[in-house]
């Protein structure tokens, strides 16, 4: 009977082959995964912002120290790595972290909008959360645009001021001596401080490091970290405009 069925052209059903799914992509596709990626990449970016600000404090030591520091960054890793080798490794890590941070934030926002069926009723907690979310979005966009201008201004020499490759001290002074540009730097760093505060506060919760017993320490850490970055970065344009740095 079975052979006769096959003879008439009826073939037994075959199971479809299911391609194995990559777990890390499944994880990133969830809201929890996107928040975790934002937290981890946020830690990388926060570390860079802190190191970058501390390095720029050489500005107060004069041209010789600042220019030496700029050259030192290009020589780190020699002779194991070629000149600027380690610098490009760090730059690549930052580019990937920045891209993942933006993508996770954008897609998480879309997921939240699609899943929101009804508007929440007003309340103090909701208003605070909504304010934080809104400032994170637009401050993140503005800070991203500022980073692009910052690279054009002091790395690529396309900011409109006198630029000499290998002389970061002179380039910083020439750029920030222009009051409008100094004003942009100050405003952008104030927005960066807001972004850092909300990000540093929320990354603990995104990684599951949240507990009522030490939540107040999270807030103090976020405030202190943001304050250190803002005070340090804002001091540079002010120092140039007031003649403290010449």
């Amino acid at each position: 009977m079975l052979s006769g069925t096959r003879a008439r052209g009826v073939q037994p059903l075959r199971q479809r082959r299911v391609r194995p799914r990559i777990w890390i992509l499944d994880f990133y596709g969830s809201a929890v995964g996107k928040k975790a990626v934002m937290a981890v990449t946020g830690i990388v970016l926060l570390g860079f912002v802190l190191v970058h600000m501390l390095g720029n404090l050489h500005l107060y030591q004069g041209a010789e120290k600042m220019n030496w520091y700029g050259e030192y960054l290009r020589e780190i890793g020699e002779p194991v790595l070629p000149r600027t080798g380690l610098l490009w490794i760090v730059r690549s890590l930052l580019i990937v972290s920045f891209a993942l941070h933006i993508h996770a934030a954008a897609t998480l926002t879309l997921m939240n909008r699609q899943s929101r069926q009804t508007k929440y009723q007003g309340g103090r907690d909701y208003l605070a959360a909504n304010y934080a979310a809104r400032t994170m979005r637009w401050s993140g966009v503005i800070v991203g645009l500022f980073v692009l201008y910052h690279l054009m201004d002091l790395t690529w020499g396309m900011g409109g001021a006198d630029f000499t490759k290998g002389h970061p001290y002179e380039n910083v002074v020439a750029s920030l001596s222009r009051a409008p540009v100094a004003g942009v730097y100050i405003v952008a760093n104030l927005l960066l401080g807001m972004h850092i505060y909300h990000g540093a506060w929320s990354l603990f919760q995104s990684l599951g490091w949240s507990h009522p017993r030490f939540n107040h320490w999270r807030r103090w850490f976020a405030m202190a970290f943001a304050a250190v970055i803002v005070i340090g970065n804002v001091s540079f344009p002010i120092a140039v405009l007031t003649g403290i740095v010449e």
Side-chain angles (χ1 to χ4, degrees), residues 18 55 67 86-87 90-91 140 146-147 152 165 175 180-181 186 188:
V18 179
N67 292 338
L86 184 60
L87 186 60
V90 174
R91 285 172 175 172
F146 168 72
V147 169
M152 294 176 60
K165 187 176 181 179
S175 176
V181 173
I186 292 173

Side-chain angles (χ1 to χ4, degrees), residues 28 34 37-38 41-42 44-45 91-108 144 147:
Y28 181 68
K34 294 182 187 299
V37 168
M38 286 188 65
T41 55
V44 174
L45 296 174
R91 285 172 175 172
S92 301
L93 174 63
L94 290 172
I95 291 172
V96 172
S97 298
F98 195 71
L100 287 175
H101 197 78
I102 294 175
H103 184 268
T107 53
L108 184 61
V147 169

Side-chain angles (χ1 to χ4, degrees), residues 18-75:
V18 179
R19 294 182 179 180
R21 302 186 67 175
I22 302 176
W23 71 268
I24 195 169
L25 295 180
D26 287 341
F27 177 69
Y28 181 68
S30 66
V32 174
K34 294 182 187 299
K35 290 180 179 179
V37 168
M38 286 188 65
V40 173
T41 55
I43 292 174
V44 174
L45 296 174
L46 287 176
F48 167 74
V49 169
L50 178 61
V51 173
H52 183 63
M53 186 276 293
L54 294 175
N56 286 339
L57 292 176
H58 287 292
L59 187 72
Y60 293 109
Q61 295 180 301
E64 183 178 356
K65 287 290 185 180
M66 184 69 175
N67 292 338
W68 168 85
Y69 173 69
E71 187 65 20
Y72 171 74
L73 293 178
R74 295 173 173 81
E75 296 175 351

Side-chain angles (χ1 to χ4, degrees), residues 132-151:
R134 289 179 181 275
T135 55
M136 284 294 284
R137 291 168 192 161
W138 59 259
S139 65
V141 172
I142 295 175
V143 168
L145 294 174
F146 168 72
V147 169
L148 179 60
Y149 174 76
H150 182 63
L151 291 172

Side-chain angles (χ1 to χ4, degrees), residues 206-241:
S206 298
L207 294 175
W209 302 341
S210 176
H211 192 279
R213 292 181 60 183
F214 58 81
N215 278 348
H216 63 285
W217 291 109
R218 289 171 51 199
R219 186 175 301 278
W220 278 108
F221 168 78
M223 292 175 61
F225 195 95
V228 168
I229 298 300
V230 171
I231 292 172
N233 284 341
V234 169
S235 73
F236 303 134
I238 292 177
V240 173
L241 288 177

